[in-house]
Amino acid sequence: MKESHEETLIGLVSHLEDVTISGIEPIASDRSRVSVRYELVFDMGFSRAIRILADPGSVSGGERERFRDHLGIIGTVELTGLTSLYGEFEKGQRFNVVREIDFVKIKGKWVGQP
């Protein structure tokens, strides 16, 4: 779960702590639904992240490279969409999250579905 989080835009601005599984429900032989709880911790505030995405020329080459798959209007819209869940988050802000994630077994490996 942490790996798939890190591959998303929200994973570039936050990390997960205290991940616990509270239940597993088999749906089929190759599919399970997992109930998880975790703390979402923002490593970067909304204002910094939106600046990187909307105006990549204003930030260092390292930050541009890190966010390269999300630069421009699509990343800006995606990041703005996060505000419906977390508001204009600040660096260090924490949110307790409870959710269900479906996992599918592909080639002998369990993969979380978005």
Side-chain angles (χ1 to χ4, degrees), residues 56 59-66:
V59 298
S60 72
E63 285 182 313
R64 275 194 307 278
E65 178 61 23
R66 188 168 160 240

Side-chain angles (χ1 to χ4, degrees), residues 3-87:
E3 288 173 1
S4 62
H5 174 79
E6 292 168 357
E7 294 173 359
T8 62
L9 179 59
I10 194 170
L12 292 173
V13 298
S14 68
H15 69 276
L16 307 179
E17 291 183 2
D18 302 323
V19 177
T20 58
I21 296 172
S22 57
I24 299 174
E25 175 188 347
I27 299 171
S29 63
D30 65 344
R31 186 176 292 268
S32 291
R33 180 163 291 144
V34 179
S35 299
V36 296
R37 294 174 180 263
Y38 55 86
E39 193 168 27
L40 178 68
V41 183
F42 282 96
D43 302 317
M44 175 183 295
F46 174 81
S47 61
R48 178 73 181 149
I50 200 74
R51 184 177 313 117
I52 293 168
L53 298 178
D55 187 11
S58 69
V59 298
S60 72
E63 285 182 313
R64 275 194 307 278
E65 178 61 23
R66 188 168 160 240
F67 284 83
R68 73 183 176 281
D69 295 335
H70 303 281
L71 296 176
I73 191 69
I74 293 174
T76 302
V77 169
E78 186 180 354
L79 184 66
T80 303
L82 291 175
T83 62
S84 67
L85 296 172
Y86 306 107

